[in-house]
Amino acid sequence: MSAAQEQTMTETEPAGHVEYKPRKSRIGAWIGAAVALVGFSALSFTLGSETAGGGAVTVADQAGMIGLGVIGAGIALSFLRLKVRADDKGIEVTNVTSKRYFPWGVVTAINFTDKMTWATVELADDDEMSIMAIQVSDKERALAAVKGLRALLEQSRTS
């Protein structure tokens, strides 16, 4: 992480607070949404007026294709939800379909090895939850986020 990025992170975050959103998957989500919407919309207008079997392609069929593009774009944009937020009380993990909060008392570790796609939070009951926001593709940014989370976990154990 460059000095400018570190300075920006510390200026926007209060002391003892970590908030992180992935960068590359957010870019990919926007690109995927655009491709789905534009692709299905373009496809709907290139269908022609007849099918190979002699059936007719109606406006409803075209609208259906555009609708599929909207659904695909919505699914791609759901990856914009990915976020992790932590403070001195606990950690909140927002994945694609779920949002969970864990007080530091139930967290035993924050794991992120080079063989993992994303970080995980390990809980006292031997359960684990993926932190999809912290992804290996973000490299140094992801490592800085994990270090910040681990520091908050350590701080909670000593206070």
Side-chain angles (χ1 to χ4, degrees):
M1 179 179 294
S2 71
Q5 288 172 324
E6 287 178 323
Q7 183 179 10
T8 304
M9 285 184 79
T10 56
E11 285 174 3
T12 59
E13 296 174 358
H17 179 81
V18 172
E19 185 168 332
Y20 181 81
K21 294 179 181 182
R23 178 172 289 151
K24 291 188 178 179
S25 70
R26 293 175 67 77
I27 294 167
W30 283 110
I31 292 170
V35 166
L37 188 58
V38 170
F40 276 95
S41 296
L43 182 62
S44 75
F45 293 110
T46 60
L47 289 174
S49 59
E50 272 189 30
T51 64
V57 177
T58 65
V59 173
D61 296 325
Q62 290 176 318
M65 290 299 282
I66 293 170
L68 287 174
V70 169
I71 290 169
I75 291 169
L77 291 176
S78 69
F79 284 86
L80 295 177
R81 286 180 40 92
L82 302 179
K83 176 174 52 174
V84 62
R85 184 182 303 167
D87 58 19
D88 58 343
K89 295 180 177 82
I91 181 172
E92 180 182 70
V93 178
T94 306
N95 288 334
V96 174
T97 60
S98 65
K99 183 177 193 175
R100 303 254 330 255
Y101 176 81
F102 304 104
W104 287 121
V106 301
V107 176
T108 58
I110 305 293
N111 299 318
F112 191 52
T113 65
D114 57 347
K115 295 179 182 175
M116 300 171 93
T117 304
W118 47 69
T120 60
V121 58
E122 189 176 310
L123 306 173
D125 63 356
D126 291 331
D127 199 7
E128 256 186 5
M129 181 172 183
S130 297
I131 306 174
M132 293 176 70
I134 302 177
Q135 302 173 0
V136 71
S137 62
D138 281 338
K139 300 176 182 157
E140 283 79 27
R141 288 185 72 244
L143 290 175
V146 168
K147 287 178 183 177
L149 292 174
R150 287 177 177 164
L152 285 171
L153 176 59
E154 276 304 309
Q155 178 184 338
S156 74
R157 291 179 176 168
T158 59
S159 49

